[in-house]
Amino acid sequence: MIRKKVANVKEALQGVANGMTFMLGGFGLCGIPENAIAELVEMGVKDISCISNNAGVDDFGLGLLLQKRQIKKMISSYVGENDEFERQMLSGELEVELTPQGTLAEKCRAAQAGFPAFYTPAGYGTEVAEGKETREFNGKMYVLETAYKADFSFVKAWKGDEAGNLIFKGTARNFNPCMCGAAKITVAEVEELVPAGTLNPNEIHVPGIFVQRIFQGEHYEKRIEQRTVRQRD
């Protein structure tokens, strides 16, 4: 059995360099690879391109990389709650590629499965389709989208084993699964790391073949973007 466990986040991010393209799992602040992002900030890597559904908030997650101007390009489905993301985009400081959310997920999944491209009806007749090949199938028009190419995928799971098998919890099972194996190297950080063979095979969401490095993260904040509570009766 191949052991993919590494000692810590520093070892997990060996090989990261300026100018690379990274995929980062999560939706808003839910299921984001907090340890990997913090280490990227600490390393000071620059001119990076980030593929992520959005950039969270100003002072947490990818927002920290934006604050330090480490991101050259954001590939996302929307700006979200991040005011700094919006400011840099409107000022021209940041290159931004907005992609329909389902298309973004499928471009990751296509890379994971080894498909170079696929057709989708999303975006046909809009700016999204400009400069792209279109084709009609059964009377409906489709846009040809190419799979993403990335150097590293950083994902966050609830539990994993030393062979790289992963289990996600609740809504943290968002973009994380389809980003596993979608880059040259997939790094998974987990809340609980157990020996290989410990996990119930029927509960595994992503098999270890899609993961190259895995480590147990620490100090997870798991922030909530918008906390809504009901008044007491």
Side-chain angles (χ1 to χ4, degrees), residues 13 22 24 33-34 36-50 55 57-72 74 82 84 88 94 154:
L13 268 62
F22 303 142
L24 299 107
E34 295 181 27
I37 293 173
E39 181 63 18
L40 289 173
V41 173
E42 181 69 21
M43 292 173 69
V45 289
K46 298 179 179 179
D47 298 323
I48 57 178
S49 296
C50 292
V57 295
D58 289 32
D59 61 346
F60 195 63
L62 289 179
L64 299 175
L65 290 168
L66 285 170
Q67 282 185 354
K68 293 183 177 295
R69 307 295 195 277
Q70 292 174 254
I71 300 177
K72 177 184 68 175
M74 277 296 307
N82 197 313
E84 181 61 17
Q88 289 187 28
L94 178 70
F154 300 112

Side-chain angles (χ1 to χ4, degrees), residues 87-104:
R87 191 196 66 76
Q88 289 187 28
M89 179 180 70
L90 295 177
S91 68
E93 298 173 43
L94 178 70
E95 185 179 351
V96 177
E97 181 181 313
L98 294 178
T99 303
Q101 196 167 83
T103 302
L104 189 148

Side-chain angles (χ1 to χ4, degrees), residues 131-152:
K132 298 176 183 176
E133 179 185 331
T134 59
R135 184 173 174 182
E136 182 180 344
F137 292 93
N138 300 318
K140 188 171 183 177
M141 296 303 298
Y142 291 76
V143 180
L144 183 68
E145 294 282 0
T146 56
Y148 285 134
K149 295 181 180 179
D151 299 292
F152 280 83

